[in-house]
Structures are given as C-alpha cells and as structure tokens.
Amino acid sequence: MDLEELLVEEKKSAEILRKECIMLVKKEKSVKSSQKEAEDDLELVNREKQQKINELDVVVPLRLHQIMFVVNGSVPSDQSPALVLDMTELTRLQDRIKQLQEEKSQQKDLYIDARKQYVRLTHDRKDMKVKIEVLEKQCHELMMMKFGREVDLEALQTLSGNRRLEELKQEKLLREAAYAKEIKQWDAKVEEARDRLMEVTRCNTERVLCMTTLMDQNRELERKINASQRKMGNKSQDYRRGVDQVEIQRLQQLVKIQSQQAEALWREIGLLSRKGGHVLPPAQARLPRSPPCPTPQDAPKPAHKDRGVSSASLKHQTQADRESINTLLSNSKHFLINDCSED
C-alpha cells in the first residue's frame, strides 16, 4: 500500500511538473514573439531616427584645398549641388573610372573581333548555300536516274529504319525461342536432379529407419539376455544351495555314525582290557549312501565361497574321524591277536 501511495504521489508530481513545463514553453514562445516585435519596432524607430537625422543640416568645416567644386576657375558662391566625400572614397571612385575605361576599350576590341567573325560567317553561309544548291541538283539528277521521280528522303530513311527494326524484332524472337528451349532443357535437368535427390533421400531414410529398428532389436535382445542371465543365475544359486544342504546332511549323518562306532569300539576295548576275554569287533554299520545329485542341463554352476568352505571343513572333519576310527580298529585287532597268542 505504501508503494502504491508513493507511486500515486510521484505520478501527481510528474503531472504537475509536465503542466508547468507546458506553461513555461508557452510563456517562452510569447516572450520570444514579443521580443521580436520589440526588435522590429526598435529597428523601425532607428530607421526613422536616421531619416530625421539625414534631413538635418550639418555644418562641415572645410579648408580651401579640400574644395574641388570649381566653375570657370573659381569657387561658386552657391555650393548646394556640391557633394561632400571622403578622400579615400574619391580615390576609389577615380580608380573605378579608370577600370571602366579599360573595360570599355576591351569590349570595343571584342566587338571588332565579333564583327569580323560575323562578316566571315556571312561569307561562309553564302558559300554553303551555293554548295547546297549544287548538291540538290546532283541529288535530283541521281533520283531521276535511279527512281525516275523524286523520292522523299526522310520517308526512305524511315522505311529503312523500320526494316532494321523488323530485323531486330525477328532476331529477338529467334533468340527468345532458343532461350526458352534452353530454359526448358535446364528445367527438365533440374526436375530430374530433384527426383534423384528425393530417391536418394528416401533410400537414406529407409536405411536410417532400418538401422534404428536393428538397434532397437539389439537393445531388446541385450535386455532379454541380461534378464535370462539373471534368472539362470538365481536358479543355479537355488540349485547349488539345495545340493549343499543335502551334502551337509549326509556328512553330518556320516560323522554321527562314525562317532557312534568309535564309542562302541572304545567300550569294547575297555571291557577287553579289564576282563581279558576274547571279543570280536562289532559289525560295522553301513553308512547311508548319498543320494545322487541332480544336475540341471543348462544351468551354470557359479562358485559359492561360503558353501564351499563349509563343505570342505565337514569333509576334513569326516576324514579325521575316519582316520581315528581306523587307528582304534587296528589297535583293537592287535590287542586281540596278542591275547590269542598268550592263550
């Protein structure tokens, strides 16, 4: 709101200043016109004043040697027709008189030369008139000999001019026809070139469209291949996880059975060592056979470090248990053999 009020106030002040400017311009114009009128009036007054001053009688003191107005060798008593001049102005007028006399003599010489030229030209005109009469007679005789009558030379020249004009018109028509034919040929060439250009443009457009289609197909195939690879990777990962689980369960069961066998052997060895009897080693229980691992036909087999490490550790533990069991069996057999030999 404050800005709007300030803007309104500024507009009002600008309007007031504009009106004042217009008024000042009008005043300036009126002052200039009044000044011009005053200057004109002043000039008129000065002119009238000068006229009045010129009408006044003025007494001019002169010396005797300055008076040149002499009549019959003496100065007249009435000197009203005399003229008072400055010496420089008198000298200028005298020089001008001399210049005019020289110009007069020059103009007289020019007049004499012009008069002589006029006389010469008059004689030349008479001679040319005689020559023209002779040539007219010769022309009349030639026309009578050639045409048998008098012919208007101006009309003859006009006809000859028209013939030339007709020849030029005919030549113009021939050239226009040749130019039109050439233009038609060039138009045909331009049209043919335009058709070739359109054909090339169409072929290039088709090729560009084909290339664009192939690129789209290529991108689509790459996308499908990537999707199938991701899918097959997931499948192989699930398959490997299942195989590892089965193998782990089998190894755990094997370890459990072997640990049971080892405990049984240790118990029998303890009994034999205390009683001194002959005891046959217990029959070894059959280990469960590991089920065949199904292998997918086209599934890739990616390496899994964590599962590989767990399987390797289980196999190592199973191998150690087997070695310990075999050691116990060999020791028990050796102990039994020693007992039999003592008996």
Side-chain angles (χ1 to χ4, degrees), residues 31-82:
V31 168
K32 284 183 178 180
S33 61
S34 61
Q35 182 182 1
K36 188 175 181 181
E37 290 176 357
E39 288 177 354
D40 294 338
D41 294 338
L42 181 61
E43 186 178 359
L44 181 61
V45 169
N46 289 330
R47 190 180 297 113
E48 291 177 355
K49 180 181 178 182
Q50 188 66 35
Q51 288 178 358
K52 295 293 184 181
I53 291 172
N54 292 333
E55 290 177 358
L56 294 175
D57 294 333
V58 179
V59 178
V60 179
L62 296 174
R63 295 179 184 273
L64 187 61
H65 69 277
Q66 292 178 343
I67 299 172
M68 300 294 179
F69 187 68
V70 179
V71 178
N72 296 324
S74 63
V75 178
S77 60
D78 186 12
Q79 295 182 358
S80 58

Side-chain angles (χ1 to χ4, degrees), residues 278 330-343:
H278 302 282
S330 62
N331 291 330
S332 62
K333 286 180 181 180
H334 182 68
F335 181 74
L336 290 173
I337 291 168
N338 290 330
D339 288 340
C340 292
S341 62
E342 289 177 357
D343 293 338

Side-chain angles (χ1 to χ4, degrees), residues 76-90:
S77 60
D78 186 12
Q79 295 182 358
S80 58
L83 181 63
V84 179
L85 290 174
D86 191 6
M87 194 64 186
T88 55
E89 187 69 19
L90 181 61

Side-chain angles (χ1 to χ4, degrees), residues 7-197:
L7 183 61
V8 171
E9 291 178 358
E10 291 294 333
K11 285 183 178 179
K12 288 181 180 179
S13 61
E15 187 68 22
I16 292 169
L17 291 173
R18 188 176 63 81
K19 290 180 180 179
E20 290 180 356
C21 181
I22 293 171
M23 291 175 63
L24 290 173
V25 169
K26 290 181 179 179
K27 287 182 180 180
E28 183 182 4
K29 289 181 179 179
S30 62
V31 168
K32 284 183 178 180
S33 61
S34 61
Q35 182 182 1
K36 188 175 181 181
E37 290 176 357
E39 288 177 354
D40 294 338
D41 294 338
L42 181 61
E43 186 178 359
L44 181 61
V45 169
N46 289 330
R47 190 180 297 113
E48 291 177 355
K49 180 181 178 182
Q50 188 66 35
Q51 288 178 358
K52 295 293 184 181
I53 291 172
N54 292 333
E55 290 177 358
L56 294 175
D57 294 333
V58 179
V59 178
V60 179
L62 296 174
R63 295 179 184 273
L64 187 61
H65 69 277
Q66 292 178 343
I67 299 172
M68 300 294 179
F69 187 68
V70 179
V71 178
N72 296 324
S74 63
V75 178
S77 60
D78 186 12
Q79 295 182 358
S80 58
L83 181 63
V84 179
L85 290 174
D86 191 6
M87 194 64 186
T88 55
E89 187 69 19
L90 181 61
T91 305
R92 188 184 67 79
L93 290 174
Q94 290 175 354
D95 294 337
R96 181 59 182 163
I97 289 169
K98 292 179 181 179
Q99 291 177 1
L100 290 174
Q101 288 176 355
E102 291 177 358
E103 290 178 1
K104 183 178 179 181
S105 62
Q106 291 176 1
Q107 291 294 327
K108 188 179 289 186
D109 295 336
L110 291 173
Y111 173 75
I112 292 170
D113 294 337
R115 184 68 182 173
K116 291 179 180 179
Q117 187 177 3
Y118 171 73
V119 173
R120 187 177 66 254
L121 290 174
T122 303
H123 290 297
D124 292 339
R125 184 175 66 82
K126 290 179 180 179
D127 295 337
M128 292 299 295
K129 189 175 182 180
V130 173
K131 288 181 180 179
I132 289 169
E133 289 177 356
V134 172
L135 291 173
E136 284 180 353
K137 288 181 181 180
Q138 291 179 359
C139 181
H140 178 70
E141 291 176 358
L142 290 172
M143 282 192 293
M144 293 300 293
M145 288 174 62
K146 189 172 183 179
F147 301 106
R149 62 186 181 86
E150 291 185 359
V151 179
D152 190 0
L153 295 176
E154 293 181 358
L156 186 62
Q157 290 177 357
T158 305
L159 290 174
S160 63
N162 290 333
R163 187 181 297 113
R164 180 61 180 167
L165 181 62
E166 291 296 329
E167 290 177 357
L168 291 174
K169 286 182 178 180
Q170 189 67 23
E171 186 178 358
K172 182 177 75 70
L173 292 174
L174 293 174
R175 289 188 178 182
E176 285 180 353
Y179 292 156
K181 185 176 180 181
E182 188 175 358
I183 289 170
K184 190 175 181 180
Q185 292 176 358
W186 280 109
D187 289 338
K189 290 181 180 179
V190 169
E191 189 67 25
E192 185 179 358
R194 188 181 291 112
D195 293 338
R196 288 200 300 270
L197 178 62

Side-chain angles (χ1 to χ4, degrees), residues 242-281:
V243 171
D244 290 340
Q245 291 291 334
V246 172
E247 184 69 18
I248 289 168
Q249 290 177 2
R250 187 182 68 81
L251 292 174
Q252 287 177 355
Q253 189 175 3
L254 178 61
V255 169
K256 187 176 181 181
I257 292 170
Q258 289 180 354
S259 62
Q260 290 176 0
Q261 290 178 356
E263 289 177 358
L265 288 173
W266 278 110
R267 284 196 298 271
E268 289 181 0
I269 290 168
L271 290 173
L272 290 172
S273 63
R274 285 194 299 271
K275 294 181 179 182
H278 302 282
V279 181
L280 294 175

